[in-house]
Amino acid sequence: MLVVIDMQERLVPAMQAPARTIRNTKTLLASAQEVDVPVIMTEQYPAGLGHTVPELKPAPGTTVLSKVHFSCMEDDAFAAKFRGLNRKQAVLAGMEAHICVVQTAASLIEEGYDVFVVSDATASRTLESEQACLARLNASGIGIVTTEMVVFEWLGQAGTPAFKRLLPLIK
């Protein structure tokens, strides 16, 4: 499954490379929809940080949950929805890398899930925090991947209708 964490109106502008992060997350969302990968999106305290940026408008059937815990798995509604989807792997993207993404990844690893963090669809306010997060995740056995890695693994082969539809997003 794909989990998009806290890509909100008041967070995005403060991040490193926000345009890159939004573009790659849009590609992940379109790809997940194309290959029937379930998506959960979260919003950290939306009353203060706003809602998910309009560029990442959830597709029909996408679950969007508000939360106040940094680790999504500490939120009862998120944890119930996540576990209820009965998937073994989680692909994470979002903000901030060194806070909510890293704590969610750590919680998922503790519960025995395979976790992959999409480095080019994940951001922090400072490059130092982002790099420290990726180093910690890597040392913890969490896969550090890119948007293209995820998309091509989900597709599995070239020449399919899904491949043809997604190719413009990854060129």
Side-chain angles (χ1 to χ4, degrees), residues 51-70:
H51 292 286
T52 300
V53 292
E55 299 93 328
L56 301 177
K57 182 180 177 189
T62 299
T63 300
V64 180
L65 299 169
S66 63
K67 65 180 183 68
V68 292
H69 293 93
F70 299 127

Side-chain angles (χ1 to χ4, degrees), residues 11-158:
L11 280 178
V12 170
M15 297 300 119
Q16 293 286 314
R20 176 207 71 181
T21 305
I22 295 294
R23 180 184 68 251
N24 290 328
T25 303
K26 282 176 72 171
T27 298
L28 290 169
L29 288 167
S31 301
Q33 184 175 18
E34 184 68 42
V35 297
D36 295 322
V37 169
V39 176
I40 301 175
M41 299 176 81
T42 66
E43 297 177 338
Q44 177 74 23
Y45 183 62
L49 297 175
H51 292 286
T52 300
V53 292
E55 299 93 328
L56 301 177
K57 182 180 177 189
T62 299
T63 300
V64 180
L65 299 169
S66 63
K67 65 180 183 68
V68 292
H69 293 93
F70 299 127
S71 169
C72 294
M73 291 302 284
E74 294 297 320
D75 179 82
D76 292 337
F78 178 92
K81 179 66 176 178
F82 185 93
R83 291 181 186 120
L85 290 170
N86 201 29
R87 301 290 174 123
K88 295 176 7 180
Q89 295 183 337
V91 174
L92 307 181
M95 299 173 178
E96 283 194 63
H98 66 291
I99 302 171
C100 295
V101 175
V102 77
Q103 289 185 39
T104 300
S107 295
L108 289 168
I109 283 287
E110 286 175 9
E111 291 195 27
Y113 292 97
D114 295 327
V115 181
F116 303 89
V117 173
V118 187
S119 61
D120 60 359
T122 302
S124 290
R125 284 171 283 143
T126 68
L127 187 57
E128 181 178 62
S129 290
E130 206 170 296
Q131 290 172 338
C133 167
L134 294 175
R136 178 180 171 195
L137 292 169
N138 191 44
S140 300
I142 293 164
I144 307 302
V145 296
T146 65
T147 299
E148 284 196 21
M149 291 169 71
V150 172
V151 172
F152 282 100
E153 287 182 41
W154 283 347
L155 287 169
Q157 68 182 45

Side-chain angles (χ1 to χ4, degrees), residues 23-24 27 148 151-152 163-164 166-171:
R23 180 184 68 251
N24 290 328
T27 298
E148 284 196 21
V151 172
F152 282 100
F163 176 82
K164 290 174 184 171
L166 291 175
L167 190 58
L169 296 176
I170 49 181
K171 275 190 158 184

